[in-house]
Amino acid sequence: MMKFKPNQTRTYDREGYKKRAACLCFRSEREDEVLLVSSSRYPDQWIVPGGGMEPEEEPGGAAVREVYEEAGVKGKLGRLLGIFEVSSFLENRIIFCES
C-alpha cells in the first residue's frame, strides 16, 4: 500500500502502518558517541535520524538516506539492531533500526 504526499510517496505494510527506517550513528567503532538531531516539529527535543521508506526501498538504504537528509552525514552501514513496532495512542508503526 502507498500513500501520496506532495513530493513524497510513503509505503505502508499490509495492516496499514507506515514503514520507517532509522539509524543510530556512532562517531567511531567504540560506539561511545551517538549523533542526535533536533526535531523539526519540536526543536527543543533530540531525535535519532529516521523517516518514511520510499516504495521499493530497502530498510538499510532508507536509513542511510534519512541520516543524510536530516543530518548531512554519510557513513557506512553497520549491524541491524532490530525491527521494532512502536505503539502510541495515535498510531502504530514499524521501525527498522540499523547502526
Side-chain angles (χ1 to χ4, degrees):
M1 175 182 195
M2 289 186 279
K3 291 189 181 178
F4 298 93
K5 295 165 105 179
N7 301 321
Q8 292 181 328
T9 304
R10 293 297 185 226
T11 56
Y12 293 75
D13 68 11
R14 283 179 242 156
E15 296 165 356
Y17 300 122
K18 189 190 311 188
K19 292 172 122 180
R20 296 178 49 85
C23 198
L24 290 175
C25 303
F26 299 102
R27 181 182 292 268
S28 72
E29 296 204 12
R30 291 187 318 212
E31 298 183 0
D32 56 354
E33 292 180 81
V34 178
L35 172 70
L36 299 174
V37 296
S38 59
S39 167
S40 57
R41 187 177 299 169
Y42 305 103
D44 59 333
Q45 295 180 6
W46 296 99
I47 61 170
V48 172
M53 293 174 55
E54 299 292 337
E56 315 275 325
E57 191 172 34
E58 294 294 320
V64 169
R65 176 183 53 76
E66 286 292 337
V67 169
Y68 184 72
E69 287 176 4
E70 293 186 9
V73 172
K74 290 184 180 180
K76 66 178 183 175
L77 194 60
R79 61 192 160 90
L80 174 67
L81 294 179
I83 299 172
F84 306 93
E85 183 173 315
V86 179
S87 298
S88 73
F89 293 112
L90 301 176
E91 62 182 285
N92 196 357
R93 62 180 176 243
I94 303 300
I95 301 175
F96 299 90
C97 290
E98 306 234 3
S99 67

